[in-house]
Amino acid sequence: MATMASLFRSFNKLLLKRPLATQCVTSAVLFASSDIIAQQAIESKGKEHDFSRTARLTFFGGCLFGPPASKWFAFLNRLRFATPTKAVIYRTWLDQTIMAPVVVGWFFTSMSLMEGKGSSGVVDSLKTTYAPTLMRAWMVFTPSQIINFMLVPPQFRFVFIGVVNLIWNTYLSFVNARLSRVPPKPVSR
C-alpha cells in the first residue's frame, strides 16, 4: 500500500510539473492497454495479437488525442461560473456537444487513415460507426463527466476520464477492428 501511495505522489508531482507530457504518456498507455484488453480478453487473439493495431492506438492516444484533450481540460478548468452546479452543468454540456462529436469522428478518421484505407475508407467508417458510437459515448461520458467535474480535483480530471476511457477505448478498439474485417462494398457503376 505504501508503494501505491508513493506512486500516486510521484504521479501527482509529474502532473503538476509537466502536465501535458504526463497526460499524453498516460493517454498512450491507457489506449495501448485498451487495445490489449480488446484483443486478448474480448477477441481471444492470443499469439495472433495485432501489434500494429496496438501501435496505432498507442500513437492515437499519446499524440493525436492526448495533446488536444489535455488542452481542452485546461480550457474547461479555466472557465468560471456563478455556482458550482452551473460549472458542472456547463462544462459537461460543452464537453459533450463540442469535444465528444469531434473525438469520435477524429478516432475513426485517424484509424482509417493509419490503416491505409484512404478517404473512401474514412467516409465508409464514419457512415457506419459515427452516429451509433456517438450515442453510446454520450451514454458513457455524460454521467462520467458530471462525476468528474463535480468531485475530481482539476489536475486529476484528465486521468479520471482516462480511466473511463480505458473501458471505452476497449470498446472502440473492438468496434474498429470489427469494421476492418467487413469486406469492402463493390463499387457500383
Side-chain angles (χ1 to χ4, degrees), residues 5-20:
S6 175
L7 283 172
F8 183 74
R9 278 192 301 277
S10 297
F11 184 73
N12 189 35
K13 284 180 189 175
L14 278 173
L15 273 175
L16 294 172
K17 186 177 179 179
R18 300 193 45 92
L20 181 62

Side-chain angles (χ1 to χ4, degrees), residues 9-163:
R9 278 192 301 277
S10 297
F11 184 73
N12 189 35
K13 284 180 189 175
L14 278 173
L15 273 175
L16 294 172
K17 186 177 179 179
R18 300 193 45 92
L20 181 62
T22 305
Q23 291 171 343
C24 289
V25 169
T26 301
S27 182
V29 168
L30 290 170
F31 269 82
S33 301
S34 299
D35 183 61
I36 292 167
I37 292 168
Q39 289 195 53
Q40 297 304 320
I42 297 172
E43 298 170 50
S44 302
K45 285 194 166 216
K47 293 180 182 178
E48 300 298 316
H49 188 92
D50 183 349
F51 289 99
S52 295
R53 175 176 141 186
T54 302
R56 285 189 299 272
L57 272 109
T58 303
F59 177 76
F60 179 83
C63 298
L64 302 179
F65 173 79
S70 179
K71 294 297 184 184
W72 175 250
F73 273 98
F75 165 73
L76 290 177
N77 291 335
R78 283 193 307 271
L79 298 177
R80 298 292 166 235
F81 299 95
T83 67
T85 302
K86 283 184 181 181
V88 170
I89 291 167
Y90 286 118
R91 285 182 179 131
T92 302
W93 180 81
L94 285 168
D95 186 68
Q96 294 305 293
T97 58
I98 297 171
M99 190 63 157
V102 169
V103 168
V104 169
W106 181 232
F107 175 81
F108 288 114
T109 298
S110 300
M111 288 300 115
S112 293
L113 293 174
M114 285 190 274
E115 291 165 359
K117 294 178 181 174
S119 58
S120 64
V122 169
V123 171
D124 288 344
S125 174
L126 292 174
K127 277 184 185 176
T128 347
T129 58
Y130 183 79
T133 303
L134 182 59
M135 298 298 259
R136 289 182 187 102
W138 285 332
M139 290 188 294
V140 170
F141 287 102
T142 300
S144 298
Q145 289 292 41
I146 290 169
I147 292 166
N148 196 18
F149 293 126
M150 189 180 296
L151 303 174
V152 178
Q155 73 268 27
F156 295 117
R157 288 180 179 157
F158 183 90
V159 177
F160 172 83
I161 216 62
V163 172

